[in-house]
Amino acid sequence: MQSDNKILDDLSRAATGALSAFGAIRQEVEAQARLVLERWLQTQNLVAREEFEAIKEMAANARLENERLAERLAAMEAELKNLRTTSGGQ
Protein backbone atom coordinates (compact mmCIF):
# COMPACT_ATOMS: atom_id res chain seq x y z
CA MET A 1 0.00 0.00 0.00
CA GLN A 2 2.87 2.28 0.82
CA SER A 3 4.26 1.84 -2.69
CA ASP A 4 0.86 2.71 -4.22
CA ASN A 5 0.83 6.02 -2.36
CA LYS A 6 4.36 6.80 -3.51
CA ILE A 7 3.42 6.06 -7.12
CA LEU A 8 0.30 8.22 -6.85
CA ASP A 9 2.32 11.00 -5.24
CA ASP A 10 4.88 10.80 -8.03
CA LEU A 11 2.14 10.85 -10.68
CA SER A 12 0.49 13.80 -8.95
CA ARG A 13 3.79 15.73 -8.88
CA ALA A 14 4.44 14.88 -12.53
CA ALA A 15 0.93 16.00 -13.54
CA THR A 16 1.28 19.22 -11.55
CA GLY A 17 4.66 19.89 -13.17
CA ALA A 18 3.26 19.19 -16.62
CA LEU A 19 0.32 21.53 -16.08
CA SER A 20 2.69 24.21 -14.84
CA ALA A 21 4.88 23.73 -17.91
CA PHE A 22 1.84 23.89 -20.21
CA GLY A 23 0.77 27.12 -18.51
CA ALA A 24 4.19 28.64 -19.10
CA ILE A 25 4.16 27.49 -22.72
CA ARG A 26 0.70 29.00 -23.20
CA GLN A 27 1.88 32.33 -21.79
CA GLU A 28 4.92 32.29 -24.08
CA VAL A 29 2.77 31.51 -27.15
CA GLU A 30 0.37 34.34 -26.24
CA ALA A 31 3.27 36.77 -25.78
CA GLN A 32 4.77 35.79 -29.15
CA ALA A 33 1.38 36.07 -30.88
CA ARG A 34 0.86 39.51 -29.36
CA LEU A 35 4.31 40.59 -30.53
CA VAL A 36 3.67 39.35 -34.09
CA LEU A 37 0.30 41.13 -34.15
CA GLU A 38 1.80 44.38 -32.89
CA ARG A 39 4.55 44.24 -35.53
CA TRP A 40 1.98 43.56 -38.26
CA LEU A 41 -0.24 46.43 -37.10
CA GLN A 42 2.73 48.80 -37.24
CA THR A 43 3.29 47.93 -40.90
CA GLN A 44 -0.33 48.72 -41.80
CA ASN A 45 -1.51 52.18 -42.76
CA LEU A 46 -3.88 52.54 -39.82
CA VAL A 47 -4.86 55.59 -37.81
CA ALA A 48 -5.50 55.87 -34.11
CA ARG A 49 -9.09 56.17 -32.90
CA GLU A 50 -8.42 59.73 -31.67
CA GLU A 51 -7.14 60.81 -35.09
CA PHE A 52 -10.13 59.20 -36.81
CA GLU A 53 -12.60 60.95 -34.50
CA ALA A 54 -10.88 64.33 -35.04
CA ILE A 55 -11.00 63.96 -38.85
CA LYS A 56 -14.62 62.77 -38.65
CA GLU A 57 -15.54 65.91 -36.71
CA MET A 58 -13.67 68.10 -39.18
CA ALA A 59 -15.54 66.49 -42.09
CA ALA A 60 -18.90 67.01 -40.36
CA ASN A 61 -18.07 70.68 -39.74
CA ALA A 62 -16.97 71.12 -43.35
CA ARG A 63 -20.22 69.52 -44.56
CA LEU A 64 -22.28 71.92 -42.41
CA GLU A 65 -20.28 74.90 -43.69
CA ASN A 66 -20.76 73.72 -47.28
CA GLU A 67 -24.53 73.48 -46.75
CA ARG A 68 -24.61 76.93 -45.18
CA LEU A 69 -22.67 78.41 -48.09
CA ALA A 70 -24.92 76.63 -50.61
CA GLU A 71 -27.98 78.16 -48.96
CA ARG A 72 -26.34 81.60 -48.98
CA LEU A 73 -25.43 81.25 -52.66
CA ALA A 74 -28.96 80.17 -53.54
CA ALA A 75 -30.36 83.22 -51.71
CA MET A 76 -27.94 85.53 -53.53
CA GLU A 77 -28.82 84.00 -56.90
CA ALA A 78 -32.53 84.42 -56.14
CA GLU A 79 -31.94 88.03 -55.13
CA LEU A 80 -29.94 88.69 -58.30
CA LYS A 81 -32.69 87.14 -60.41
CA ASN A 82 -35.25 89.27 -58.61
CA LEU A 83 -33.18 92.43 -59.20
CA ARG A 84 -32.84 91.62 -62.90
CA THR A 85 -36.59 91.02 -63.19
CA THR A 86 -37.54 94.27 -61.42
CA SER A 87 -35.02 96.40 -63.31
CA GLY A 88 -36.39 95.31 -66.64
CA GLY A 89 -33.78 92.70 -67.54
CA GLN A 90 -31.01 95.20 -68.20
Side-chain angles (χ1 to χ4, degrees), residues 1 3-4 7 15-16 19 23-24 27 29 32 36 40 44-45 53 58-59 64 68 70 87 89:
M1 214 47 161
S3 65
D4 287 344
I7 292 172
T16 301
L19 290 176
Q27 289 176 344
V29 167
Q32 289 297 321
V36 167
W40 179 78
Q44 302 306 303
N45 192 16
E53 292 298 330
M58 287 173 54
L64 290 174
R68 187 184 68 78
S87 68

Side-chain angles (χ1 to χ4, degrees), residues 62-90:
R63 188 178 309 112
L64 290 174
E65 179 69 9
N66 190 29
E67 290 172 1
R68 187 184 68 78
L69 290 173
E71 289 172 1
R72 187 173 168 201
L73 179 61
M76 289 178 157
E77 287 174 340
E79 184 178 342
L80 180 60
K81 182 179 181 181
N82 189 23
L83 285 174
R84 285 182 178 163
T85 305
T86 57
S87 68
Q90 298 176 5

Side-chain angles (χ1 to χ4, degrees), residues 17-27:
L19 290 176
S20 176
F22 286 136
I25 290 171
R26 189 197 76 192
Q27 289 176 344

